[in-house]
Amino acid sequence: MSYERFEWLEIPEQQTEPAKKKTKPAEAVVGKRCPQCGWLDEETALQCFRCSYRYNIDHSMAERIGQLGITLPPRVIESNQNLENFFRAHGRTRPPEPLPIYQLRLQAEALRLSRGFDRLICLDEVAVEHYEHQLEAALRALREMRGRALLADEVGLGKTIEAGIIMKELIHRGLVRTVLVLTPASLTEQWREELHNKFHEDFTVMETPGAWRAVQAAESGRWIASLDRAKLTHHREAILAREYDLLIVDEAHKLKNRSTLAWKFVNQLRKRYVLMLTATPVQNDLMELYSLITILAPGQLGTVLAFRRHFLDSYDSRQPRNASSLRRLLNDVMIRNRRSKVNVQFPRRQAAIYHLELSEPEWTLYRQVTEYIRRRFNDADSTKHLRLTLLTLQKELSSSPQALAGTLRKMLADTGHSEGVRAELQRFIELAEAIPQSRKLGAVCEILERFPGKFLIFTEYRQTQESLLAELARRQIKATGFHGGLDIQQKEAAIALFRTPEQAGGARVLVSTESGAEGRNLQFCHQLINYDLPWNPMRVEQRIGRLHRLGQAHDVAIFNLSCNETIEAHVLDLLARKIRMFELVIGELDMILGNVEGAKSFEDLLREAWESAMSEDDLRQRIDALGDVLVRARRDYERVRTTNELLDLALDER
């Protein structure tokens, strides 16, 4: 009897207000127009930003400066350089006279650049699609807030992009040389990849006190650190020993309590510019907002007693009194864009689960290898390396016989195994090789036949990828592979082939490994197949985020393959039923997982459940218990989201 079924998940449509069409106001001249090129400049500008026409200055002085024979590169401040070295680099043995005039010119240039944020000059070097609200946020943070801002956009609107643009602009203008990013531990690598791929800035993830001591005297640098690790005593002293031009704090709501070590640590950091990112600036009451603003602009909201007296409602601490006064104060330091207000189109998600029944040979392989893994894992003689290998085997069981056989062959090559173990491993290899086609592979072909258009298929393992590509080629379905082992030219060729329309000879399918399509714009495709599921749900969301993002013109369809009675089916059930992640906006999942009690990640909790389970029934019970934890975490997130919606309503301009 077959228990296979194709199930579309019920995903409620996001309720958002239609964006109001902005009316173009009559041109208001704020500042002065250049008589030479027409550029609108600041009133205090000394020369035109675009053509360098000098406004109302002593032209005799300009001539004297020109006689020095020094031409500064555009938008470069040299005031921090050794003047003697600077002039030597320009072919002079000594600085020309008179130096005071030249130094005055440098000071004027530095002032113009630091204040003249009338446009963004870094966008040509930003490899990311940006939107009007993000550019407006970046300009506000630079121009009005002088680089000290709380970026509190709702989830999915691109706070990270806004922070990256601000950072890049400050670096471009010569105002920032050292940058420190503080994030939750689970996001350090994600931040490093984003800043590298989208902003061409290379950051180092700092993990040891020795690494920090080595950079104390560095004139420039880019560093990322876990906030939880950075605040520890043996790290904090080294981190606090120097000043940072720019500090970026992600998930800033974790600094809601001024009495915590984390808040005191961040407040102690010496920083010129500060960006704090959170979609939920208020978790429980408005005093948490006071804590965040105090780090950015001490005194902006007055004293604690004054803030409580003027702005806290005695009956509901989540809603402010004197909302208009509070709004004016917050506008100086906080930017909060809302999904219902920005003029962007968000695609909908449609998600399906294809529940599959393993064939008899596949089920025999799964059952016997799982029993072997559990037996060897609990063996007292099992080393840490062996346990990691066994964990990989368990995951590969849900992917493909080819991936499993590859790891088994590596284990067989290890001469340290007993003859009995070697015989067992050889038998598993023979069972895997005897499976002509996995049920999952057949399911992919069924989906491709049923649904037209291009597909992005994700798998964790190269052997699985190769078997997929071979079967698609046999069925004359044009496909290409993408993985971390390809060089730059090969990667670009694969993406180009996938982007090319099928009618013009392009590939219909891109089969990518986990590291494959990071940072790639694949929005010309809107259908995704999760061939196998990683145990880390953030990686599932990153997969979806390749397609489901701002600018996607179609609804995004996500097909998840699940083999009944396997651990993969349990993981998918957690994601689909407990977290309900397929109905979430990109970014919400991390916030939900951040509400899980304890410092352990979801993947760690799942692995512990798997490691300690004594049987399949025991494993099912432990995963159900983990599901209950996730349900509570989601409820906590929804409560916090409601709290911030109340704040939004209270602060809305009438």
Side-chain angles (χ1 to χ4, degrees), residues 408-446:
L408 289 170
R409 291 190 191 95
K410 293 178 182 177
M411 294 176 67
L412 193 60
D414 185 355
T415 57
H417 294 299
S418 67
E419 286 300 318
V421 170
R422 293 175 63 83
E424 210 167 8
L425 294 176
Q426 183 61 49
R427 181 165 57 83
F428 295 152
I429 293 173
E430 292 171 359
L431 286 173
E433 290 177 340
I435 299 173
Q437 178 178 295
S438 69
R439 180 65 191 97
K440 274 189 172 183
L441 210 161
V444 166
C445 297
E446 293 167 17

Side-chain angles (χ1 to χ4, degrees), residues 179-237:
V179 185
L180 173 61
V181 180
L182 295 176
T183 82
S186 60
L187 299 179
T188 54
E189 279 300 317
Q190 182 176 320
W191 265 90
R192 186 191 62 77
E193 292 169 1
E194 288 257 318
L195 293 171
H196 172 76
N197 294 332
K198 297 178 179 178
F199 300 98
H200 308 304
E201 294 290 338
D202 292 324
F203 278 71
T204 302
V205 178
M206 309 297 287
E207 296 181 343
T208 64
W212 281 112
R213 286 192 290 271
V215 302
Q216 285 182 17
E219 294 185 3
S220 62
R222 315 280 191 267
W223 307 290
I224 298 174
S226 158
L227 176 57
D228 287 335
R229 179 172 292 179
K231 71 184 182 184
L232 299 177
T233 303
H234 55 290
H235 287 86
R236 60 185 287 128
E237 293 178 0

Side-chain angles (χ1 to χ4, degrees), residues 278-339:
T278 176
T280 53
V282 177
Q283 299 282 294
N284 296 291
D285 61 60
L286 290 177
M287 287 306 303
E288 298 165 348
L289 183 61
Y290 180 91
S291 298
L292 299 183
I293 302 300
T294 298
I295 292 178
L296 287 171
Q300 174 70 17
L301 300 180
T303 65
V304 173
L305 291 177
F307 183 79
R308 288 183 181 275
R309 185 171 61 253
H310 289 298
F311 300 118
L312 255 66
D313 190 294
S314 56
Y315 296 100
D316 189 349
S317 59
R318 301 177 301 169
Q319 297 198 63
R321 297 172 57 207
N322 302 315
S324 59
S325 298
L326 180 60
R327 181 175 61 246
R328 287 194 296 270
L329 292 172
L330 292 178
N331 280 341
D332 292 336
V333 289
M334 185 174 83
I335 299 171
R336 182 162 173 82
N337 290 307
R338 292 154 59 189
R339 294 171 62 85

Side-chain angles (χ1 to χ4, degrees), residues 442-453 455 475 477 508:
V444 166
C445 297
E446 293 167 17
I447 292 172
L448 293 177
E449 184 177 349
R450 179 176 173 184
F451 300 95
F455 274 83
R475 295 179 180 243
I477 300 172
R508 186 188 175 195

